[in-house]
Amino acid sequence: MKKQVSFTLAGQVALVTASSKAIGRACALALAESGADIILGLRDLNSGKAIVNQIRKMGREVLPVQMDVTRLDEITAAVQAGLKYFKHIDILVNNAGIGAANPAEHVTEKDFDDTLNVNLKGTFFTAQAVGKVMIRQKHGRIINICSQAGFVALPTESVYCMTKAAIAHLTKCLALEWAPHHITVNAVAPTFITTPGTRKWLDDPDFSASVRRRIPLGRIGKPEEVAGPVVFLASPAASLITGETIMVDGGWTIQ
């Protein structure tokens, strides 16, 4: 009997950027657990050894590729390497992003450019490179990692918030443009998640308590809780969803 709803990713190939730790790592592992083979986009190839071994132990194929998303040559080379190895790319998780706290009056041109180069330039041109592959294939799933910061204002995060708001709208634009090619484009927008990058703030009891007070569910998120919606959006179960941003924020933005 044919399943009415399928969440399996068997036979699919997923490219995950910034996949050696935190949310990217959780997404890569979750996609592999659901049956996908994985292309690991890594700014430092040496950082991927542990996750490569984990994915291979699951019985999945895995290809680590050099991929600094601020460099168009590395984006192109990484996508072509993945395509040569697997012959198709079915899923893209656009995860690479940075966002150091900085009061608006102290932001330098370099701070501004560095954040936009990763968060916007990297997201767009990675989507473009993989989108070209998916257009030829006439199918694909793109999931951008956005943030609740794209929907609410956070102090000292003006540039980061701006880029994440742009990613949410870019998601809609690409979804509309590529829908005729049977490509869905969606985003996942997490709240504060416990990662190496957030630990220095979340380890502060006062800051952590203030965040929990803003979250109706009353707790900080885990990377795996972002990976779950990513797997859903990549799966056949989400085939009629496109242009949407799923909030993974414990209820922060419903208030």
Side-chain angles (χ1 to χ4, degrees):
M1 180 183 294
K2 183 180 178 181
K3 289 184 178 180
Q4 295 301 305
V5 179
S6 176
F7 295 91
T8 183
L9 300 176
Q12 304 289 294
V13 175
L15 167 60
V16 183
T17 66
S19 49
S20 66
K21 58 185 179 181
I23 291 172
R25 177 179 178 277
C27 289
L29 292 174
L31 291 163
E33 286 174 351
S34 297
D37 295 320
I38 307 296
I39 305 166
L40 297 171
L42 302 166
R43 192 165 58 109
D44 175 8
L45 270 178
N46 292 325
S47 67
K49 293 178 181 178
I51 188 173
V52 165
N53 291 333
Q54 283 183 278
I55 292 171
R56 284 179 177 158
K57 286 178 182 178
M58 295 179 192
R60 308 312 315 157
E61 288 285 324
V62 57
L63 176 70
V65 292
Q66 176 65 40
M67 194 176 186
D68 180 341
V69 300
T70 67
R71 296 187 54 177
L72 268 62
D73 59 335
E74 289 197 7
I75 292 173
T76 300
V79 170
Q80 290 306 308
L83 188 60
K84 181 179 180 180
Y85 188 85
F86 287 110
K87 310 307 179 188
H88 55 102
I89 302 174
D90 309 285
I91 300 158
L92 167 64
V93 181
N94 243 331
N95 171 65
I98 60 173
N102 199 2
E105 66 270 24
H106 296 154
V107 172
T108 65
E109 183 178 14
K110 184 178 186 305
D111 297 332
F112 187 95
D113 289 346
D114 287 350
T115 304
L116 266 67
N117 280 342
V118 176
N119 295 9
L120 287 186
K121 180 180 176 181
T123 294
F124 178 85
F125 283 105
T126 301
Q128 182 193 68
V130 179
K132 289 177 181 179
V133 174
M134 292 177 172
I135 288 169
R136 292 196 298 270
Q137 296 172 167
K138 298 193 180 302
H139 73 86
R141 301 278 189 269
I142 296 174
I143 301 103
N144 297 321
I145 302 301
C146 190
S147 170
Q148 72 174 24
F151 298 84
V152 298
L154 299 176
T156 74
E157 293 284 3
S158 58
V159 179
Y160 179 74
C161 289
M162 176 182 66
T163 62
K164 292 300 183 177
I167 287 172
H169 198 66
L170 173 64
T171 296
K172 292 182 179 182
C173 294
L174 295 180
L176 182 62
E177 193 164 341
W178 290 345
H181 304 288
H182 309 288
I183 299 167
T184 65
V185 186
N186 292 290
V188 171
T191 186
F192 286 91
I193 303 295
T194 301
T195 69
T198 62
R199 185 160 289 121
K200 60 184 176 183
W201 291 291
L202 295 177
D203 282 348
D204 179 334
D206 292 335
F207 181 86
S208 185
S210 71
V211 168
R212 287 186 172 88
R213 284 194 295 270
R214 294 292 302 274
I215 299 175
L217 289 182
R219 62 182 180 82
I220 309 300
K222 296 178 287 190
E224 294 77 14
E225 293 175 301
V226 182
V230 167
V231 171
F232 166 65
L233 290 171
S235 78
S239 60
L240 199 59
I241 301 173
T242 197
E244 294 298 320
T245 297
I246 296 180
M247 306 305 299
V248 186
D249 65 352
W252 184 307
T253 57
I254 63 176
Q255 303 172 85

